[in-house]
Amino acid sequence: MSKDNANSPAVVLKEVSKHFGSKKAVDQISFSIPQGSVTAILGPNGAGKTTAISMMLGLMDPKCGSVEVLGRSPKDLKVRRKIGAMLQEVSVMDQLKAREIINLIRGYYPHPMSMEEIMALTGLTPEDLNKMAVKMSGGQKRKLGFALALAGNPELLFFDEPTVGLDTSARRLFWKTVRSLAALGKTILFTTHYLQEADDIADRIILFKDGRVAADGSPAEIKNKLTTRSVSFVAEQDTQHITARLNQVPGVTGVHLEDGRMYISADNTDQVLAVIFREELPVRDVATDTGSLDEAFEQLTQVTEEAV
Amino acid sequence: MNGALIRLQCKMELLRIVRNPYFIFWSLVMPIAFYFIFTRVVNTGSPDADAWQGHYLMSMTTFSVMGSAIMSLGIRLVQERTLGWAVFMRITPLPGSIYFFGKMFGQALLHLLSIIVIFTAGYLINGVQLEAWQWILSGLWIMIASAPFLALATLIGAMKRVETASGVSNGIYLVLALLGGMWMPLDIMPPFLQAIGRWTPSHHFTSGGWDIAAGNLPELRSVLILTGYLVLFMLLSTYVRKKQQAV
């Protein structure tokens, strides 16, 4: 461990873009991941999460912008000795047993994790380890992929959609292990399209949409941003005047009439209420509502899938 | 650290090769069976039986080595890519050069094993007698002159699917063996096939062996043509890979 990167960020992306033909997979993304943090890249399929991870791993070059991992290029051997990754596609080698593959990968690193520790963390049994890797079941292969990510005892771990194809109990075991790895001070970055997973595990969520960062913050902040709030009331007269006035309030995103009530969607409903009462607008029966979080996230997901 | 890495990588490559049943069949059983048939069962009408037995031993050894070069290396490369292994290797700290060295080392040992087993079979089946220098030099020739076929294998290794690679490499392998005169002498083929055959890398690979078995050195022409093919396949393979990576 060199002194120069002891306190520097684990990952820094600066205005990174990547195109495939005319499609912008990743568009002008910037963020920095501090060491020791657990970050989720959350977004629907096709939002550019895997492309972003591939660039952080040095598997793809950005078209423009810069990617730094542990203060260096992700392709630097010194960096690769300190990172581990589980990719979406599980990779195995034919004609070798699981144990042989794990030991081969362990041999590539200067300070590998012990086989006992790998077994304890992944839940791989001695019988699993004696199997030919290509003959393992989907769930076992996932565990093997996890074991290979851990083999070098890395400081920084990348997991791309780690729980896809896992059953509930395997999922729970995986996240429990990730928490214990985080407790050891490892930096963890994972992608997911489940809001629940990101909320439960991460201390920060970077929300991707259409190749851009749509939001970046703590799970509470992201949830706050995703939920739509509104003020509703019954207008007693002159709805046009009220609509015009409230549309001028900063943060108001929409006004609509439904079943005789007017609904004002806004980032900050307090401000809307203040205007209503201060200016004594002719309204009655005022209420505030908070939309469902899942609904909001689902909506975001659907819109993007249609666009692909 | 590199010494240990190289040893580990070579050991694993070797394990994978030895555990592959296709290797044993295609590279050892087939050529030895052919050798037995065409020197003991079928009367080829060759005037000098001793010379023919030495000559055909070279044909079959080069046939075997060419096969394992094209088939096992090429198909394994495609397999590693389709299994996602090649991508995973790029995020580990294993230098690409050691990965490549491990592959070539495994392949070289495979060729050496083929040579030893088939030469021994020749001795046991027909009591083939060559001078010590002929055994050694022909063995060396087969090891070194197999390089163009390894380069050809890396070209096959650039293919997308295992099925395609396996079909294509099988085809190339059989055509090269036939046109190169490894199975039967070129002289008995139609003239236009002979003309093509004399320009194939397989012909020059095997005829170098024949020359040594006959007490001569391989012709300069063979060395030059094989070198030409080596350069050609390497350039093609590099070009194809560059093109594939330019995403």
Side-chain angles (χ1 to χ4, degrees):
Chain A
M1 261 173 255
S2 56
K3 280 180 219 154
D4 59 347
N5 64 22
N7 284 310
S8 62
V11 180
V12 181
L13 267 72
K14 278 190 197 139
E15 294 177 5
V16 171
S17 294
K18 179 76 185 173
H19 304 223
F20 296 112
S22 61
K23 189 184 178 286
K24 285 178 179 171
V26 165
D27 191 13
Q28 294 274 318
I29 280 179
S30 299
F31 57 76
S32 159
I33 309 285
Q35 292 199 25
S37 62
V38 180
T39 307
I41 295 183
L42 174 67
N45 295 329
K49 301 181 305 260
T50 298
T51 309
I53 289 258
S54 299
M55 289 190 283
M56 289 181 239
L57 290 171
L59 294 174
M60 276 181 196
D61 292 323
K63 188 161 186 284
C64 43
S66 71
V67 179
E68 262 188 21
V69 177
L70 301 170
R72 295 166 187 273
S73 152
K75 292 182 181 170
D76 195 312
L77 270 191
K78 282 183 184 150
V79 172
R80 289 200 261 157
R81 285 194 183 120
K82 291 179 188 169
I83 65 171
M86 191 161 124
L87 305 173
Q88 262 186 65
E89 235 181 297
V90 185
S91 39
V92 293
M93 218 177 196
D94 59 307
Q95 311 289 355
L96 288 182
K97 292 173 184 170
R99 182 192 302 278
E100 290 163 346
I101 294 185
I102 296 172
N103 275 329
L104 174 68
I105 303 301
R106 286 179 65 237
Y108 294 167
Y109 294 85
H111 308 290
M113 190 179 274
S114 73
M115 189 59 102
E116 290 74 29
E117 209 174 336
I118 291 175
M119 286 169 67
L121 286 171
T122 58
L124 280 167
T125 63
E127 296 89 78
D128 293 338
L129 291 176
N130 283 330
K131 273 198 185 147
M132 283 292 177
V134 282
K135 296 204 175 120
M136 292 174 107
S137 70
Q140 287 170 330
K141 271 189 194 164
R142 278 263 153 206
K143 285 182 185 174
L144 176 60
F146 190 24
L148 296 182
L150 295 174
N153 201 7
E155 290 172 25
L156 171 58
L157 278 154
F158 296 89
F159 300 118
D160 194 6
E161 299 277 358
T163 56
V164 167
L166 288 187
D167 59 35
T168 322
S169 67
R171 214 170 263 225
R172 206 172 316 137
L173 176 70
F174 176 79
W175 289 124
K176 198 180 136 208
T177 311
V178 168
R179 279 203 195 91
S180 65
L181 290 168
L184 291 173
K186 297 190 187 300
T187 311
I188 293 160
L189 188 69
F190 68 93
T191 67
T192 180
H193 54 265
Y194 298 117
L195 177 63
Q196 188 67 47
E197 280 187 344
D199 185 21
D200 285 351
I201 311 299
D203 37 52
R204 174 179 171 197
I205 296 176
I206 301 175
L207 186 67
F208 269 43
K209 195 189 176 218
D210 299 332
R212 286 175 165 272
V213 174
D216 182 348
S218 70
E221 284 165 355
I222 296 293
K223 285 195 286 185
N224 205 19
K225 184 146 191 180
L226 271 180
T227 25
T228 49
R229 290 151 186 275
S230 63
V231 177
S232 66
F233 47 78
V234 177
E236 296 194 305
Q237 47 167 292
D238 196 10
T239 51
Q240 272 179 344
H241 168 71
I242 297 170
T243 308
R245 175 62 194 103
L246 290 179
N247 261 329
Q248 289 168 0
V249 178
V252 168
T253 52
V255 177
H256 70 280
L257 201 65
E258 199 180 306
D259 299 333
R261 286 183 76 83
M262 279 187 88
Y263 289 83
I264 318 297
S265 316
D267 294 338
N268 187 347
T269 47
D270 292 348
Q271 249 177 326
V272 178
L273 291 172
V275 169
I276 290 171
F277 293 125
R278 196 172 56 227
E279 300 180 9
E280 294 180 356
L281 295 178
V283 304
R284 63 180 161 82
D285 204 6
V286 179
T288 59
D289 294 296
T290 306
S292 142
L293 183 61
D294 281 339
E295 239 169 57
F297 184 65
E298 229 164 73
Q299 215 171 4
L300 176 80
T301 308
Q302 275 165 3
V303 169
T304 311
E305 274 176 359
E306 277 163 18
V308 167
Chain B
M1 166 129 188
N2 272 358
L5 261 185
I6 292 171
R7 229 176 308 135
L8 179 70
Q9 194 66 18
C10 291
K11 191 178 131 197
M12 286 300 158
E13 287 292 343
L14 210 59
L15 252 183
R16 293 176 62 206
I17 288 170
V18 171
R19 283 182 186 162
N20 187 349
Y22 297 104
F23 158 70
I24 306 290
F25 182 76
W26 287 103
S27 305
L28 300 178
V29 176
M30 271 255 295
I32 293 174
F34 267 49
Y35 183 69
F36 184 77
I37 292 167
F38 286 102
T39 57
R40 296 299 291 266
V41 181
V42 178
N43 183 5
T44 50
S46 174
D48 184 346
D50 279 354
W52 168 250
Q53 285 163 3
H55 179 94
Y56 204 62
L57 186 62
M58 290 304 155
S59 302
M60 284 303 107
T61 315
T62 49
F63 172 56
S64 156
V65 168
M66 181 175 83
S68 48
I70 298 178
M71 313 267 279
S72 66
L73 181 61
I75 296 172
R76 251 176 332 122
L77 287 173
V78 182
Q79 247 165 0
E80 280 176 21
R81 214 184 35 254
T82 51
L83 288 173
W85 190 255
V87 171
F88 187 74
M89 280 293 109
R90 285 169 58 200
I91 54 178
T92 69
L94 182 75
S97 53
I98 294 185
Y99 182 64
F100 183 77
F101 181 85
K103 283 255 157 321
M104 289 303 151
F105 173 84
Q107 206 61 42
L109 273 189
L110 194 66
H111 295 179
L112 188 64
L113 182 70
S114 294
I115 293 168
I116 292 171
V117 169
I118 297 174
F119 278 7
T120 309
Y123 178 78
L124 294 177
I125 294 171
N126 284 320
V128 171
Q129 300 282 344
L130 294 180
E131 303 281 335
W133 72 266
Q134 283 175 304
W135 286 121
I136 293 168
L137 192 64
S138 58
L140 274 177
W141 165 260
I142 294 168
M143 292 287 285
I144 295 166
S146 64
F149 303 101
L150 292 174
L152 177 60
T154 63
L155 191 57
I156 292 167
M159 289 178 179
K160 294 248 156 20
R161 297 176 52 226
V162 175
E163 291 78 13
T164 332
S166 136
V168 169
S169 56
N170 256 303
I172 293 177
Y173 169 49
L174 297 181
V175 168
L176 280 181
L178 194 69
L179 285 181
M182 287 176 165
W183 286 349
M184 48 188 142
L186 273 184
D187 305 341
I188 63 168
M189 283 194 229
F192 79 99
L193 283 184
Q194 285 188 34
I196 300 171
R198 286 186 210 294
W199 285 98
T200 57
S202 47
H203 178 69
H204 293 279
F205 183 37
T206 196
S207 71
W210 298 338
D211 291 336
I212 296 170
N216 306 314
L217 286 179
E219 283 178 33
L220 181 63
R221 183 180 144 82
S222 296
V223 175
L224 291 179
I225 289 180
L226 284 172
T227 311
Y229 273 111
L230 174 64
V231 173
L232 175 73
F233 292 145
M234 277 169 63
L235 287 178
L236 273 177
S237 165
T238 315
Y239 171 75
V240 169
R241 256 151 234 278
K242 283 250 166 73
K243 223 177 152 192
Q244 283 179 340
Q245 276 173 8
V247 175

